Amino acid sequence: MRNTVAHTYRALYRLTGHLRAGLEEARRRPDRGDISTTTVIIWVAAVTGAVLIAGTIAVVISKYNGKLSGL
């Protein structure tokens, strides 16, 4: 039991150290290259378009599957 508690405390200590270092870095360099809102909108639109195109192709293939098998 003591070993588990010791491992937990060490892991928590390391985790908080990493978190503190990250927060200090963010305070020191606020322009660290965050993704802009425009980039997120473009990615969401691209993924949505790709999913819609793939879905449309799947529906068309399933609808005309019997007719396409003779080709």
Side-chain angles (χ1 to χ4, degrees):
M1 178 76 175
R2 286 185 188 182
N3 200 12
T4 305
V5 172
H7 285 299
T8 304
Y9 281 130
R10 275 191 294 242
L12 185 60
Y13 183 75
R14 277 190 239 134
L15 181 65
T16 55
H18 286 296
L19 182 61
R20 282 187 187 133
L23 290 174
E24 287 173 11
E25 178 72 15
R27 276 189 227 111
R28 191 170 59 85
R29 289 182 20 193
D31 59 338
R32 63 188 189 280
D34 290 339
I35 298 176
S36 69
T37 305
T38 307
T39 304
V40 172
I41 291 171
I42 291 170
W43 274 102
V44 169
V47 169
T48 303
V51 168
L52 287 174
I53 290 170
T56 303
I57 291 171
V59 167
V60 169
I61 287 176
S62 67
K63 182 176 180 181
Y64 295 106
N65 196 18
K67 296 177 184 177
L68 293 174
S69 63
L71 294 177

